[in-house]
């Protein structure tokens, strides 16, 4: 598929204050402003220089260990824009944006919300779409019907209402990796583990929860696309016996792919389900989603290769495998990729991948 890129592809350009056109779905393609849109993205985990031991991801000023540093964030966004990025994926912590009320009834998320607005505005001004992951760090034992209303009222509704209809948000990524159930039981790392009887009801409970979130998001922001950041592509159609098929819920598919590193990621060997390795498994995952026949775009929203001490890849290996992954996604009619930031800066992560 030949993809045209809206936003900041190719050479860096001057920032634009114009509203970014909404992203729509047209068969296997994403579209923006009447043109095909290939997602060329970065998972923005934390500002360059922040200590991951103190703050693993953006907390939008709600955690004293993670001070809000918009000047550093803007410098990172500038570096991404200059290297052809058009999408930034971020994570909206359940406790930051509402769940903390359980421990502190006086908790107010107004500062965090203001910082989120500031982030989205800074990205949009540079021509970058934002892909927010709506539910992150959600309690793993609260997927039952008795928990729906609290999750919706404390977290989902306030966020979605606030940004409903506003430009610059690519889509709502409803939940990050609901198909990983290992916090409940490690045997349910993959919710499709048929060898352990707990995993099937766990999968169905989570599928019902995600659909409830989806339906409420669509009610509040009906024109915005939705997806779910699955750990495994097959979770859109497995378990096959489930009442709900997640492929029927979302507007486009997103999933995560890691190969043999990091060794604690759980995606390699026993957990990736083909065994052919990279890039063959990546291609097959995309092709299986297309084979469902629903004609929905496929974006790989986490793909990363660690480098540095204790890893097997050099920076040259990183560049080689990034290029191979991007070409594999394009050849399989994928609609783009969002890199996972194992490297310490946008410059080190991206190289010239999106501007070649």
């Amino acid at each position: 598929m030949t993809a045209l890129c809206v936003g900041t592809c190719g050479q860096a350009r001057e920032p634009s204050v114009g509203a970014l056109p909404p992203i729509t779905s047209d068969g296997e393609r994403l579209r923006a402003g009447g043109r095909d849109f290939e997602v060329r993205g970065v998972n923005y985990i934390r500002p360059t220089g922040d200590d991951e031991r103190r703050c693993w991801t953006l907390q939008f000023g709600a955690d004293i260990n993670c001070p809000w540093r918009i000047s550093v964030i803007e410098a990172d966004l500038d570096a991404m824009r200059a290297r052809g990025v058009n999408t930034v994926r971020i994570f909206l912590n359940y406790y930051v944006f509402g769940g903390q009320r359980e421990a502190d009834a006086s908790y107010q998320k107004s500062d965090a919300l203001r910082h989120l607005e500031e982030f989205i505005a800074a990205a949009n001004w540079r021509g970058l779409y934002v892909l927010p992951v709506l539910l992150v760090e959600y309690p793993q034992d609260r997927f039952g019907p008795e928990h729906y209303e609290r999750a919706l009222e404390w977290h989902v509704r306030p966020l979605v209402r606030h940004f409903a209809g506003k430009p610059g948000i690519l889509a709502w990524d409803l939940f990050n990796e609901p198909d990983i159930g290992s916090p409940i039981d490690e045997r349910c790392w993959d919710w499709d583990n048929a060898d352990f009887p707990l995993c099937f009801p766990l999968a169905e409970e989570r599928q019902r929860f995600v659909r409830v979130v989806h339906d409420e998001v669509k009610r509040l922001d009906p024109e915005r696309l939705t997806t779910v950041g699955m750990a495994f592509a097959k979770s859109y159609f497995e378990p096959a016996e489930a009442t709900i098929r997640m492929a029927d819920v979302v507007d486009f598919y997103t999933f995560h792919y890691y190969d043999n590193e990091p060794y604690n990621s759980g995606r390699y060997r026993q957990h990736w389900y083909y065994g052919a390795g990279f890039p063959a498994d990546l291609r097959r995952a995309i092709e299986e989603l297309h084979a469902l026949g629903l004609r929905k775009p496929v974006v790989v929203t986490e793909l990363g290769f660690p480098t540095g001490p204790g890893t097997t890849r050099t920076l040259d290996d990183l560049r080689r495998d990034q290029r191979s992954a991007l070409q594999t996604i394009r050849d399989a009619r994928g609609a783009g990729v969002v890199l996972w930031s194992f490297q310490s800066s946008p410059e080190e992560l991206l190289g010239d991948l999106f501007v070649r």
Side-chain angles (χ1 to χ4, degrees):
M1 177 179 70
T2 301
L4 301 175
C5 189
V6 177
T8 55
C9 291
Q11 298 300 312
R13 61 173 179 81
E14 290 301 309
S16 170
V17 296
L20 297 177
I23 301 293
T24 59
S25 175
D26 180 12
E28 294 175 354
R29 304 171 299 175
L30 294 173
R31 304 271 290 173
R35 304 170 65 191
D36 286 357
F37 181 88
E38 179 184 70
V39 174
R40 300 179 181 183
V42 168
N43 283 278
Y44 192 63
I45 305 168
R46 58 189 166 270
T48 297
D50 276 10
D51 185 350
E52 65 177 309
R53 293 168 297 182
R54 288 173 56 85
C55 182
W56 86 269
T57 190
L58 278 177
Q59 300 295 314
F60 297 94
D63 185 339
I64 194 172
N65 293 310
C66 310
W68 182 249
R69 301 193 295 156
I70 189 60
S71 61
V72 180
I73 291 170
E74 289 178 328
D76 287 340
L77 295 173
D78 284 335
M80 294 178 205
R81 178 179 62 87
R83 287 159 180 78
V85 169
N86 63 19
T87 300
V88 182
R89 185 170 179 256
I90 59 172
F91 300 87
L92 306 184
N93 187 298
Y94 170 72
Y95 294 98
V96 169
F97 289 99
Q100 186 61 24
R101 286 175 55 186
E102 184 171 2
D104 179 3
S106 66
Y107 178 76
Q108 298 294 323
K109 56 177 171 281
S110 54
D111 286 347
L113 190 59
R114 176 171 53 84
H115 290 144
L116 174 57
E117 286 181 320
E118 189 176 23
F119 182 95
I120 293 173
N124 291 172
W125 188 71
R126 291 162 173 81
L128 309 181
Y129 286 90
V130 175
L131 176 58
V133 185
L134 186 56
L135 276 162
V136 179
E137 301 295 331
Y138 183 76
Q140 292 288 304
D141 58 351
R142 297 184 185 177
F143 287 92
E146 67 274 21
H147 302 296
Y148 292 171
E149 185 58 26
R150 176 176 291 185
L152 295 176
E153 189 59 26
W154 283 11
H155 183 87
V156 173
R157 289 183 187 127
L159 280 167
V160 177
R161 282 190 186 119
H162 192 83
F163 293 102
K166 294 180 181 178
I169 293 178
L170 190 152
W172 290 111
D173 186 337
L174 302 175
F175 202 103
N176 191 61
E177 299 186 341
D179 48 334
I180 291 183
S182 56
I184 298 300
D185 191 294
E186 63 182 9
R187 290 168 290 189
C188 297
W189 177 274
D190 173 2
W191 71 13
D192 188 37
N193 180 10
D195 294 330
F196 183 55
L198 171 68
C199 301
F200 181 74
L202 177 148
E204 288 216 299
E205 181 180 65
R206 291 177 176 219
Q207 289 169 331
R208 288 190 293 267
F209 179 89
V210 171
R211 188 171 65 179
V212 166
V213 172
H214 167 272
D215 291 350
E216 187 68 1
V217 169
K218 277 294 190 181
R219 184 182 72 83
L220 296 170
D221 197 7
E223 301 304 316
R224 190 93 62 194
L225 298 182
T226 60
T227 188
V228 177
M230 292 293 190
F232 307 109
K234 69 183 178 70
S235 299
Y236 278 108
F237 53 88
E238 299 287 355
E241 302 81 13
T243 304
I244 298 170
R245 187 174 68 164
M246 295 306 299
D248 299 318
V249 175
V250 300
D251 296 309
F252 67 105
Y253 310 119
T254 58
F255 73 94
H256 306 159
Y257 179 84
Y258 301 91
D259 67 339
N260 61 326
E261 288 184 302
Y263 289 108
N264 64 351
S265 74
R267 273 71 162 186
Y268 81 113
R269 296 182 183 174
Q270 69 266 36
H271 293 300
W272 258 93
Y273 41 94
Y274 300 133
F278 173 79
D281 284 350
L282 174 61
R283 181 184 183 97
R284 182 172 173 181
I286 298 170
E287 289 176 340
E288 286 195 342
L289 291 174
H290 286 315
L292 296 175
L294 299 180
R295 290 188 50 76
K296 295 181 179 183
V298 181
V299 180
V300 184
T301 47
E302 287 185 23
L303 183 144
F305 304 103
T307 53
T311 68
T312 62
R313 282 183 175 86
T314 66
L315 278 178
D316 287 341
D317 296 332
L318 171 68
R319 304 295 174 230
R320 176 200 67 208
D321 290 341
Q322 284 178 331
R323 289 192 292 269
S324 175
L326 182 58
Q327 192 59 53
T328 297
I329 291 166
R330 288 170 172 168
D331 290 345
R333 309 192 316 278
V337 63
V338 186
L339 301 178
W340 187 261
S341 303
F342 285 117
Q343 287 65 43
S344 61
S345 69
E347 294 87 349
E348 185 180 357
L349 168 66
L350 290 158
D352 63 356
L353 178 67
F354 294 142
V355 294
R356 288 168 61 87

